[in-house]
Amino acid sequence: MNIHEYQAKQLLKKFGVAVPAGGVAESADEAVARAQELPGDLWVVKTQIHAGGRGAGHFAGDADDAPGGVRLARSMEEVRGHAEAMLGRTLVTRQTGPAGREVRRIYVEEGCDIARELYLGMLLDRATSRVVMMASTEGGMEIEEVAAKTPEKILKVYIDPATGMEPFHARKLAFGLGLKGKQVSSAVKFMLGMYRAFTGLDASIVEINPLVVTAGDELLALDAKMNFDDNALYRHPDVLNLRDEHEEDPSELEAARFGLNYIKLDGSIGCMVNGAGLAMATMDIIKLYGRSPANFLDVGGGADTKQVTEAFKLINADPNVKGILVNIFGGIMRCDVIAEGVVAAAKEVGIHVPLVVRLEGTNVKQGKKILAESGLDILSAEDLGDAAEKVVAAIGGKS
């Protein structure tokens, strides 16, 4: 689960991470009120969407080089003007794609005197099974770009889960970033607080970009991104309450209601599979045969006819889908149940694209018999390669 910048800063602040003062607003009047509550004579007005690159983005209908989703204001009139220019409009960034995201709220934050911009991030490193904190002097840039062009500028410390993060981990990064004197102690406090937030809230990523060093030698999170492990959200109802469903794909939300794991992609072949690993293999082999998957859809090991029907509805609702591949290995999930679901869904939903079904495992003979006697135009496949070849051929071959 992802959250907005302002929400991430509110959470991080509770763990001792230094953030600038600010307030969220959903109207121009609220934006002015939030600015009036802040000290100084410089404010930053920021769009709040679940995507990065907001400052470099542009609003739909504007030129690419027009002012983006992060703007400075030096008067209340400018705060109001920026808010009116942002709210209700669609912001397009590299991460949103051309469709963009509607701006429903903005964040008004106090300005600060920036001396340096750095990068700080924390996530779970799968290779070592440890939490890794990464730092770089290249603040403000996407870390993927830094890794590709100047990987030597990324510093890392790996944290033993038995001991947790210690001050020496933070000092190592601070010295590597060239921090000195008061900056080092500020960095140690900042990083330890960030680690406590990461572990205490079951986060999957915490990213501060940029992390700024102020003229007063303090470190502040000028931007903040937090993602969370969905499987641990039951332990954090306060975090779950921060979920903004407007920022999520409607089809993925619908899938979650029925216990389906669904992610929309941009290909032309809809997939319905049981098991995440098998789903990945299915998508790979579709690519191998010259097409792209339209979705990841794992119905799980215990889906019933109702869930299978709902899965078909999700796939069928995607206008990009030109063919459907069902790939089921029956273990806990029985092939006859899947077959019944396929037939019921095809009759209820009205599938008008080629449908290829590959069944193997528990009750496979019964499942194939149900499909053969359904009277529906269903192509049966013997193995995964055969299934991919048939569905690609049915929609006109490679693209």
Side-chain angles (χ1 to χ4, degrees):
M1 188 186 86
N2 193 7
I3 60 175
H4 290 291
E5 172 199 358
Y6 77 92
Q7 295 169 323
K9 287 180 173 177
Q10 289 170 353
L11 291 177
L12 290 170
K13 185 177 180 180
K14 294 178 181 179
F15 288 85
V17 176
V19 301
V24 68
E26 297 184 3
S27 69
D29 287 341
E30 287 184 0
V32 171
R34 298 293 82 79
Q36 291 173 338
E37 296 167 357
L38 300 173
D41 54 5
L42 177 66
W43 303 271
V44 187
V45 183
K46 302 181 177 183
T47 51
Q48 297 295 288
I49 60 172
H50 287 181
R54 291 166 293 160
H58 66 278
F59 286 95
D62 291 352
D64 290 355
D65 58 351
V70 178
R71 305 181 188 182
L72 296 177
R74 292 179 171 80
S75 68
M76 293 301 155
E77 290 73 20
E78 287 189 352
V79 171
R80 180 179 295 278
H82 293 332
E84 291 174 345
M86 294 175 172
L87 288 166
R89 297 188 65 195
T90 299
L91 181 65
V92 180
T93 77
R94 288 176 61 183
Q95 291 189 13
T96 66
R101 294 277 179 84
E102 181 183 354
V103 179
R104 297 174 180 272
R105 57 182 61 80
I106 57 175
Y107 190 51
V108 182
E109 193 171 66
E110 65 177 338
C112 66
D113 192 354
I114 301 172
R116 292 181 66 192
E117 292 190 1
L118 308 171
Y119 171 91
L120 194 63
M122 179 170 276
L123 48 77
L124 179 64
D125 179 66
R126 296 182 184 274
T128 62
S129 297
R130 294 188 174 189
V131 172
V132 58
M133 181 172 280
M134 303 179 295
S136 176
T137 55
E138 306 304 296
M141 292 181 61
E142 294 185 9
I143 196 65
E144 294 83 1
E145 186 176 345
V146 178
K149 295 181 179 179
T150 54
E152 71 280 0
K153 292 185 177 181
I154 300 178
L155 312 172
K156 299 179 181 179
V157 294
Y158 295 89
I159 302 163
D160 190 327
T163 61
M165 189 170 187
E166 299 286 349
F168 78 87
H169 290 115
R171 286 195 294 270
K172 181 178 180 180
L173 291 175
F175 294 144
L177 292 170
L179 301 178
K180 299 177 181 179
K182 181 183 176 183
Q183 297 172 356
V184 175
S185 59
S186 181
V188 170
K189 179 181 179 182
F190 190 104
M191 294 178 191
L192 291 177
M194 182 171 159
Y195 176 78
R196 289 193 299 270
F198 182 92
T199 55
L201 297 174
D202 289 305
S204 56
I205 185 171
V206 178
E207 187 176 55
I208 310 298
N209 190 24
L211 166 69
V212 299
V213 181
T214 69
D217 288 335
E218 297 292 336
L219 270 68
L220 288 176
L222 205 63
D223 196 3
K225 175 182 177 63
M226 291 187 76
N227 285 2
F228 301 90
D229 182 352
D230 290 350
N231 295 314
L233 286 174
Y234 73 94
R235 297 196 294 217
H236 307 284
D238 54 332
V239 173
L240 185 58
N241 287 337
L242 301 178
R243 187 172 189 172
D244 184 354
E245 294 188 349
H246 290 111
E247 292 290 319
E248 300 181 32
D249 187 282
S251 56
E252 293 178 16
L253 289 172
E254 183 70 11
R257 289 182 54 232
F258 293 96
L260 303 171
N261 297 307
Y262 175 90
I263 300 174
K264 190 178 184 305
L265 303 173
D266 56 4
S268 57
I269 296 180
C271 306
M272 187 176 74
V273 190
N274 66 323
L278 189 59
M280 296 297 289
T282 302
M283 293 192 295
D284 285 345
I285 203 164
I286 287 171
K287 290 287 289 185
L288 181 65
Y289 277 84
R291 286 281 182 166
S292 296
N295 62 270
F296 169 99
L297 201 166
D298 171 18
V299 297
D304 55 22
T305 301
K306 176 64 175 176
Q307 286 175 299
V308 174
T309 302
E310 294 301 327
F312 264 104
K313 288 181 180 179
L314 285 169
I315 296 173
N316 207 43
D318 184 350
N320 294 326
V321 170
K322 307 303 179 186
I324 299 174
L325 171 56
V326 177
N327 181 26
I328 299 297
F329 184 84
I332 298 174
M333 166 66 72
R334 303 197 325 263
C335 292
D336 57 325
V337 172
I338 286 293
E340 290 171 354
V342 168
V343 172
K347 292 179 177 179
E348 179 180 340
V349 177
I351 297 173
H352 303 294
V353 298
L355 172 60
V356 176
V357 180
R358 179 256 184 168
L359 299 177
E360 192 59 70
T362 306
N363 292 354
V364 64
K365 290 183 179 180
Q366 295 94 316
K368 288 183 176 181
K369 182 180 179 182
I370 290 170
L371 295 178
E373 296 177 353
S374 68
L376 299 173
D377 186 13
I378 299 174
L379 298 173
S380 181
E382 294 303 316
D383 55 42
L384 185 49
D386 183 39
E389 185 176 12
K390 283 181 175 177
V391 74
V392 168
I395 65 173
K398 299 179 179 181
S399 60

